[in-house]
Amino acid sequence: MTTATAKTVEKVHRSSQRHWVGDGFPVRSVFGYNDLGRELSPFLLMDYAGPHTFAPAERPRGVGSHPHKGFETVSIVYSGEVAHRDSSGAGGTIGPGDVQWMTAGKGLVHEEFHSPEFTRKGGELDMVQLWVNLRARDKQAAPGYQSLLANQIPKVEVRGNGGTVRVIAGEYAGVRGPARTFTPMNVWDMALNPGGMAQLEFNGGDTTALFVRSGTVTVNGATASASDLVILSRGGTQLNLEPVSAANLLLLNGEPINEPVSAYGPFVMNSEEEIRQAYSDFRQGRMGSL
Ligand code: MN
């Protein structure tokens, strides 16, 4: 018999002050590939937009045409509505509870705006965008989308009236989430009740981090509040979450990709030469256009 050991808290990382991405997304940088890319592999970057209330408007706010290559973007919407379209002709709208898992792979050009209806009515925007790296051999994958709608994402009760876990990717308590991923990972959207407790178990050696969207929670003895990212040791397997107040959390866990990372702006590759090539391909229109 082996005894499971608790992961230790490596650090509690605080998000940046808000800055705007385009005119539609007031984001806090939770982490980026320049500061924590190695520790958090395969996760590269996370921006948390909101909550922010927009007045009704006529012209959709957002980010115009821009490229991506070599990774995946995962947009998780809690409130508001976001519409996108890209150079392959694909597009769509996601709203509260929905997730868009986009594979940029070998490269695309897209735009991200508030949906026409959300623009017209106004209201609260609250969403996360997470970037997930791809192995070198997957960076040439064809661009693709998984629209994971709220009703396709299983919601599992935490024992003892502890709250709920929405399984976006991976598996919780034997229930699998709908996202297809290139490498093994868990992405869970958790809502924990005060006084409850969630005991989680992961593979030793994996990256594990917990972002607190709201509330306060104790994670293996360390206390974290809204906008904090708790980074756990790769060693150990157990995570004990004890909410001090009702808490909304995003849990990231995955097998690290142990390959060189060369990243610049919207491109994440394995060498500087590949980054130069990506810029050249984009400028010459080889990633398409809108
Ligand atoms: Mn983008």
Side-chain angles (χ1 to χ4, degrees):
M1 247 181 84
T2 55
T3 308
T5 55
K7 287 181 171 294
T8 54
V9 173
E10 299 269 306
K11 66 179 105 165
V12 178
H13 180 76
R14 311 226 181 269
S15 302
S16 74
Q17 294 298 306
R18 271 196 185 149
H19 66 274
W20 285 83
V21 174
D23 64 357
F25 304 100
V27 306
R28 294 170 200 280
S29 168
V30 179
F31 64 89
Y33 48 67
N34 287 326
D35 55 0
L36 291 168
R38 186 175 293 273
E39 286 99 316
L40 294 179
S41 174
F43 307 105
L44 291 163
L45 175 151
M46 191 166 124
D47 278 347
Y48 179 44
H52 183 87
T53 302
F54 287 91
E58 290 185 358
R59 191 185 56 81
R61 303 173 179 99
V63 197
S65 175
H66 62 279
H68 291 295
K69 179 181 169 75
F71 62 100
E72 301 186 289
T73 67
V74 180
S75 301
I76 305 170
V77 176
Y78 298 102
S79 61
E81 210 172 56
V82 181
H84 66 95
R85 68 189 183 99
D86 79 19
S87 48
S88 74
T93 300
I94 52 171
D98 300 338
V99 175
Q100 183 208 63
W101 199 294
M102 182 185 90
T103 305
K106 67 183 180 183
L108 53 67
V109 172
H110 78 158
E111 61 178 29
E112 299 162 90
F113 281 99
H114 297 183
S115 73
E117 196 185 346
F118 179 65
T119 301
R120 204 161 46 240
K121 288 185 175 166
E124 186 186 79
L125 180 75
D126 191 3
M127 65 174 288
V128 162
Q129 190 170 83
L130 172 71
W131 291 15
V132 179
N133 205 2
L134 294 171
R135 291 170 296 202
R137 68 169 189 263
D138 298 322
K139 287 183 184 291
Q140 295 303 324
Y145 292 99
Q146 302 173 63
S147 276
L148 312 173
L149 302 180
N151 63 12
Q152 300 171 297
I153 299 172
K155 195 187 253 190
V156 185
E157 299 285 329
V158 177
R159 269 191 298 182
N161 193 33
T164 56
V165 175
R166 290 202 320 142
V167 188
I168 297 167
E171 183 175 327
Y172 172 78
V175 178
R176 284 205 69 77
R180 292 183 310 276
T181 64
F182 284 82
T183 54
M185 72 189 70
N186 291 291
V187 178
W188 304 340
D189 203 18
M190 309 179 73
L192 298 184
N193 298 326
M197 186 185 200
Q199 293 183 306
L200 311 175
E201 183 84 32
F202 299 103
N203 294 330
D206 283 358
T207 293
T208 305
L210 188 78
F211 175 61
V212 182
R213 279 202 303 124
S214 67
T216 299
V217 64
T218 300
V219 185
N220 285 8
T223 301
S225 298
S227 301
D228 288 346
L229 180 78
V230 184
I231 302 173
L232 284 308
S233 61
R234 292 211 169 127
T237 59
Q238 285 184 334
L239 204 55
N240 291 320
L241 308 182
E242 297 176 74
V244 175
S245 60
N248 287 290
L249 312 168
L250 186 63
L251 181 124
L252 308 178
N253 166 266
E255 192 177 286
I257 296 174
N258 292 314
E259 294 176 357
V261 173
S262 185
Y264 199 85
F267 304 129
V268 182
M269 302 301 293
N270 301 104
S271 69
E272 280 183 39
E273 176 51 34
E274 288 174 331
I275 293 290
R276 278 193 291 274
Q277 187 63 49
Y279 271 96
S280 163
D281 288 349
F282 169 57
R283 280 195 301 266
Q284 291 175 39
R286 290 196 208 102
M287 293 183 190
S289 60
L290 288 174

